[in-house]
Amino acid sequence: MGEFGLIGRYFQRAVLQQAGDPAAVALGIGDDAALLEPAPGCQWVISTDSLVQGVHFPEQYCPTDLAYRALAVAVSDLAAMGARPLGFTLALTLPTADEAWLGAFSDGLAQCAVDHRISLIGGDTTRGPLNIGISVHGEVARGRALRRSGARPGDLLCVGGPLGDAAAGLALVLDQPLPAPLDEASRDYLLARFWRPRAQCELGQALQGLASAAMDISDGLLQDAGHLARASGVALHIQGADLPSAPALRHWPARQQLDWMLRGGDDYVLLFSLPVAALAQLGDWPITVIGRVEAGQGVWLDGQPIAGDGGYQHFKESADG
Amino acid sequence: MGEFGLIGRYFQRAVLQQAGDPAAVALGIGDDAALLEPAPGCQWVISTDSLVQGVHFPEQYCPTDLAYRALAVAVSDLAAMGARPLGFTLALTLPTADEAWLGAFSDGLAQCAVDHRISLIGGDTTRGPLNIGISVHGEVARGRALRRSGARPGDLLCVGGPLGDAAAGLALVLDQPLPAPLDEASRDYLLARFWRPRAQCELGQALQGLASAAMDISDGLLQDAGHLARASGVALHIQGADLPSAPALRHWPARQQLDWMLRGGDDYVLLFSLPVAALAQLGDWPITVIGRVEAGQGVWLDGQPIAGDGGYQHFKESADG
């Protein structure tokens, strides 16, 4: 076991004992494979993501934030299915085994694992250009998974939190010019929304049996709404004035705010459709109705059809959304 | 969905309908995550591997072979646990979306998926330096997984097939000088053993309830035997004269053959310990007894202790074996 084998042990020490549900992990790191113990009557939910420097994250990054974000982004796909997170594997390709980098990275990974109650169950470390591959595993009661395909005309269209924050955070990361001075709290909030998204797993689970369709917003509201509209065979009508935004976003001109809310990616809040009668059962959740599902196709904003994908190319490109 | 999104669809067409058990895949590619349907009473077996050019495979490669090998190597970890393969995810990072490369790669992936009865269930494609991340998912009846930790003094030590083939195959790939002319059939056999290993899933499943410990040989017999000895807290005594080799290997001098059988990696045959009484129940399997488990520690060859890891650095470096 060489230098890179030692890295595996580092992550084991950092993460396994602190996070997740011990009862669900029958066998963790150290054998040929991990064993998870699903609850009776559950299906397995699996998603994989890989992050490449310069594609999915900017050159300017802190390894702690990067690790947090990499895992949270992957877990968000479990949230979008209404699944309960159980375990994840990490395939880490690194140019060198830099101890300071590894310490910071594994700190962020452990923080995110604890926040989302998910255990590191296996991994693979290799020398090469930086590449972070994470596969997440969760469980959902049979037949209760939230899919993209169930939205029906008459349903409400909702989101699980404010939009556009991560796009503003990215503008800060990239040191783009500010329209006005930004207070420290707003800056911290927006940077955290980019680097430390919190996957909406609890909301996803609460939506089981209520939402008719769901997904997470990773590529921007309009683009992801397009995916949901296609999968469900419906039209989604969005009211621009109803989009929720955080106070920190209001430092930018209204036009920029709206653009980020519609086209900014990386917010990782849930987008879902909901029969009107179900809304009252979600009274305790900070969700926002942003429009309606109608017969037809495509995504409409304030009565106008949106052409094409509606998103922009940012630090995200994926085959499975 | 850009150029790299299209790649995802390519793989979907190539693989999903041809391989695996449709009943086990409740939801494949296209939503936020895949859903697998475990058989009642099963645990879930998970392993992840990433392959980096120049580390895990040589610069000279055919994309079809590379894909076959990448998936087979990952599936071998399921075999080592006695698991039945169900599905896998592919996280593919590529410098460019070259259609000829992708066609060849997805051919090999589909061939390997069919051979091992495992379905592609999700993936992620990204632009960047070539990196192939594969996570495999299988199932095993609760408590029946083969671990590395159960070998007991008195057990037989066995392997599931010939050793050293892949190391000889790699020597051919790297165009190393031959000691003697090699016939076409031997060359084809050895290259196939390097590029197209067949994970021993059926053998692994047959060993359930019989083998006291098991793993797959990826880093060379001596090194991997060291892992098994440590995990089980025993000594493993190997008889050099009992190691099985294929006829094709006999083109090389005896000393080179033995070195490859002991230290060559990438054979992906199973290494396992077996109570003597269980041997008769495996009469139909081409397994070979290569030694014995004894009280003590470490790996011994013909009565001599093996110092250190006993393996060499080849195209494989991993944290979880």
Side-chain angles (χ1 to χ4, degrees):
Chain A
M1 188 176 290
E3 161 186 47
F4 275 74
L6 293 171
I7 296 173
R9 286 216 287 268
Y10 193 96
F11 284 113
Q12 183 173 13
R13 195 180 63 241
V15 177
L16 192 62
Q17 303 308 320
Q18 303 175 28
D21 176 0
V25 181
L27 182 66
I29 297 175
D31 214 299
D32 292 290
L35 291 177
L36 287 186
E37 180 75 51
C42 275
Q43 291 177 315
W44 302 343
V45 187
I46 297 162
S47 181
T48 195
D49 271 299
S50 58
L51 276 78
V52 176
Q53 187 163 13
V55 178
H56 300 103
F57 57 93
E59 303 293 328
Q60 314 91 313
Y61 72 89
C62 149
T64 309
D65 287 340
L66 176 62
Y68 196 103
R69 181 163 189 270
L71 179 55
V73 165
V75 173
S76 182
D77 283 324
L78 296 182
M81 302 297 284
R84 174 178 170 242
L86 295 177
F88 71 100
T89 59
L90 170 69
L92 184 61
T93 306
L94 277 180
T96 58
D98 177 304
E99 278 195 39
W101 192 98
L102 280 163
F105 186 88
S106 58
D107 278 353
L109 201 70
Q111 289 165 23
C112 189
V114 169
D115 285 351
H116 293 86
R117 298 182 53 75
I118 188 167
S119 290
L120 179 65
I121 55 169
D124 192 29
T125 46
T126 312
R127 189 187 304 278
L130 183 57
N131 191 308
I132 301 160
I134 292 183
S135 290
V136 290
H137 306 86
E139 65 182 13
V140 67
R142 181 168 298 112
R144 303 268 288 182
L146 307 173
R147 303 189 181 183
R148 298 179 176 182
S149 52
R152 295 290 165 262
D155 288 350
L156 303 171
L157 186 67
C158 308
V159 292
L163 301 172
D165 288 350
L170 178 59
L172 297 177
V173 171
L174 298 178
D175 229 358
Q176 291 176 357
L178 291 173
L182 195 65
D183 60 286
E184 199 67 20
S186 294
R187 167 178 287 272
D188 290 349
Y189 167 83
L190 294 171
L191 286 172
R193 290 275 293 148
F194 179 76
W195 281 119
R196 296 180 170 240
R198 183 73 182 261
Q200 301 194 298
C201 296
E202 294 83 3
L203 175 59
Q205 291 169 70
L207 293 177
Q208 280 184 22
L210 298 178
S212 50
M215 66 181 300
D216 64 327
I217 301 181
S218 57
D219 295 334
L221 172 63
L222 292 182
Q223 186 167 329
D224 286 326
H227 296 315
L228 199 147
R230 259 193 304 280
S232 293
V234 296
L236 298 180
H237 286 256
I238 294 171
Q239 299 300 321
D242 293 342
L243 299 179
S245 66
L249 207 65
R250 296 171 200 155
H251 293 83
W252 280 267
R255 191 190 182 88
Q256 177 70 81
Q257 288 180 46
L258 183 65
D259 188 59
W260 279 339
M261 288 193 283
L262 293 171
R263 297 182 183 83
D266 298 319
D267 280 322
Y268 300 104
V269 300
L270 297 186
L271 171 69
F272 54 98
S273 58
L274 200 65
V276 177
L279 186 60
Q281 297 178 59
L282 291 168
D284 292 342
W285 292 92
I287 63 176
T288 305
V289 177
I290 62 166
R292 257 193 128 85
V293 182
E294 297 190 10
Q297 60 182 12
V299 178
W300 301 66
L301 177 67
D302 297 329
Q304 299 297 315
I306 300 294
D309 262 350
Y312 65 70
Q313 287 304 316
H314 54 96
F315 291 103
K316 171 83 186 164
E317 222 178 20
S318 97
D320 63 1
Chain B
M1 188 175 291
E3 162 186 46
F4 276 73
L6 293 170
I7 295 174
R9 286 216 287 267
Y10 193 94
F11 284 113
Q12 182 173 14
R13 196 179 64 240
V15 177
L16 190 62
Q17 303 307 320
Q18 302 176 28
D21 175 1
V25 182
L27 182 65
I29 297 174
D31 213 299
D32 292 290
L35 291 176
L36 287 186
E37 180 75 51
C42 276
Q43 289 176 317
W44 183 358
V45 187
I46 298 163
S47 180
T48 195
D49 272 297
S50 58
L51 277 77
V52 176
Q53 187 163 13
V55 178
H56 300 102
F57 56 93
E59 303 293 329
Q60 314 91 314
Y61 72 89
C62 149
T64 309
D65 286 339
L66 175 62
Y68 196 102
R69 181 161 188 271
L71 179 55
V73 165
V75 173
S76 182
D77 283 325
L78 295 181
M81 302 296 285
R84 174 178 172 244
L86 294 177
F88 71 100
T89 59
L90 170 69
L92 183 62
T93 306
L94 277 180
T96 57
D98 177 304
E99 278 195 38
W101 192 98
L102 281 163
F105 186 89
S106 59
D107 278 354
L109 200 70
Q111 289 164 24
C112 188
V114 170
D115 285 351
H116 293 86
R117 297 182 54 75
I118 189 167
S119 289
L120 180 65
I121 57 169
D124 191 30
T125 47
T126 313
R127 188 187 305 276
L130 183 56
N131 191 307
I132 301 160
I134 292 182
S135 289
V136 289
H137 305 86
E139 66 182 12
V140 67
R142 181 168 298 113
R144 303 269 288 181
L146 307 173
R147 302 190 183 185
R148 297 179 176 182
S149 52
R152 295 290 166 261
D155 288 350
L156 303 172
L157 185 67
C158 308
V159 291
L163 300 173
D165 289 351
L170 178 58
L172 297 177
V173 171
L174 297 178
D175 230 359
Q176 291 176 357
L178 291 173
L182 194 67
D183 60 285
E184 198 67 22
S186 294
R187 167 178 286 273
D188 289 350
Y189 167 82
L190 294 171
L191 287 173
R193 290 276 292 149
F194 178 77
W195 281 119
R196 295 180 171 240
R198 182 73 182 259
Q200 299 194 299
C201 296
E202 294 84 2
L203 175 59
Q205 292 169 70
L207 292 178
Q208 279 184 22
L210 299 177
S212 49
M215 66 181 300
D216 65 327
I217 301 179
S218 57
D219 296 333
L221 172 63
L222 293 182
Q223 185 167 329
D224 286 325
H227 296 316
L228 198 146
R230 260 193 303 281
S232 292
V234 295
L236 299 180
H237 286 255
I238 295 171
Q239 301 300 323
D242 293 342
L243 300 179
S245 67
L249 207 65
R250 296 171 199 156
H251 293 84
W252 280 268
R255 190 190 182 88
Q256 176 70 82
Q257 287 180 46
L258 183 64
D259 188 60
W260 279 339
M261 285 192 285
L262 293 171
R263 297 182 183 83
D266 298 320
D267 279 323
Y268 299 102
V269 300
L270 297 188
L271 171 69
F272 54 98
S273 58
L274 200 65
V276 176
L279 187 61
Q281 296 177 59
L282 291 168
D284 292 343
W285 292 93
I287 65 176
T288 305
V289 177
I290 62 165
R292 256 192 129 85
V293 182
E294 297 190 10
Q297 60 182 13
V299 178
W300 302 66
L301 178 65
D302 297 330
Q304 299 297 314
I306 300 294
D309 262 352
Y312 64 70
Q313 287 304 317
H314 54 95
F315 289 102
K316 170 81 184 166
E317 220 178 22
S318 100
D320 61 3

